[in-house]
Amino acid sequence: MALTYSSMLELQTNLIEFDLLNSVSNKNFSSDSIDRDKPSLIMFICNHCPYVKAIIRELADDCAKLKEDGIKSVAIMSNDTKNYPEDSFENMKKFSDRYNFSFPYLIDETQEIAKKYDAVCTPDFFGYNKNLELNYRGRIRELNDLKPVGSGESELLKSMKLIAKTQQGPKEQYPSMGCSIKWFK
């Protein structure tokens, strides 16, 4: 498990289009389904990463709270499932059920979308304002030995609420960190 920090795609970058199969509904979900008048959160996660496992309950809770505020969240899994079968489409379904995902969990079988987003780790977060401009590239919260540091609202939740209110993310953002995306060899 090599620790990798997010690449910090340039803020104000426009939402990158996608159309991927959703493990929750077994139907395709596209970026066109995102409400164009509200902020949205795109995140890259997987099933097997210990960093994702360390934050997944809080992430699912945060996304449910964001949904109550009209903010849509979408998770994308881009790992090589042949060499990492725990991240298979069937296991994505089980993972989303286990953690009660209130958001689509999409598979990026070609890894094309992860490359377009310049996503490099799991978890990796991309928070957009209602104009679909990137305003958050931070973490959910600080971790120490895979344990969350601090309590209260996560940095991710606070940042997405700020974006909903002001259309701008926080001035100070700390990169997310986790396992590298498992690219095809």
Side-chain angles (χ1 to χ4, degrees):
M1 159 181 84
L3 180 62
T4 302
Y5 288 88
S6 59
S7 63
M8 302 306 285
L9 183 66
E10 188 174 334
L11 294 177
Q12 302 308 314
T13 299
N14 291 325
L15 179 78
I16 297 163
E17 306 273 322
F18 57 84
D19 186 1
L20 300 168
L21 185 59
N22 183 357
S23 67
V24 176
S25 69
N26 213 29
K27 296 179 181 173
N28 272 34
F29 182 92
S30 79
S31 50
D32 290 338
S33 301
I34 293 172
D35 190 333
R36 302 298 171 151
D37 293 322
K38 297 196 176 167
S40 56
L41 172 65
I42 309 297
M43 52 196 155
F44 288 81
I45 64 171
C46 70
N47 307 337
H48 87 275
C49 171
Y51 293 92
V52 172
K53 288 179 178 181
I55 56 94
I56 196 62
R57 288 191 194 284
E58 181 173 25
L59 181 62
D61 289 345
D62 282 0
C63 290
K65 291 172 187 168
L66 292 172
K67 186 176 183 178
E68 289 172 9
D69 291 335
I71 299 169
K72 184 156 227 149
S73 301
V74 178
I76 300 173
M77 199 296 298
S78 298
N79 280 350
D80 171 1
T81 58
K82 182 179 177 192
N83 289 308
Y84 297 87
E86 190 175 341
D87 292 332
S88 72
F89 189 71
E90 284 305 313
N91 285 328
M92 288 172 62
K93 290 179 185 182
K94 293 174 187 172
F95 195 74
S96 63
D97 285 345
R98 183 179 315 125
Y99 295 105
N100 299 311
F101 286 3
S102 61
F103 50 86
Y105 188 22
L106 314 177
I107 189 164
D108 179 15
E109 293 178 290
T110 65
Q111 300 182 326
E112 176 184 338
I113 302 306
K115 289 176 182 172
K116 286 182 178 181
Y117 272 82
D118 203 17
V120 295
C121 63
T122 56
D124 211 349
F125 302 104
F126 298 77
Y128 291 87
N129 66 16
K130 70 178 185 177
N131 300 319
L132 302 180
E133 299 163 331
L134 184 63
N135 272 270
Y136 189 67
R137 281 294 289 121
R139 62 191 179 192
I140 188 166
R141 72 168 63 244
E142 182 181 0
L143 296 178
N144 185 4
D145 292 327
L146 295 175
K147 300 222 179 344
V149 174
S151 59
E153 287 188 337
S154 71
E155 292 170 37
L156 177 66
L157 185 59
K158 285 187 231 177
S159 297
M160 291 307 299
K161 287 181 173 183
L162 179 66
I163 290 169
K165 186 176 180 179
T166 68
Q167 303 312 308
Q168 296 293 314
K171 299 266 185 252
E172 190 168 24
Q173 299 184 17
Y174 300 95
S176 188
M177 62 181 180
C179 297
S180 63
I181 288 181
K182 307 309 181 212
W183 302 108
F184 298 132
K185 297 182 184 202

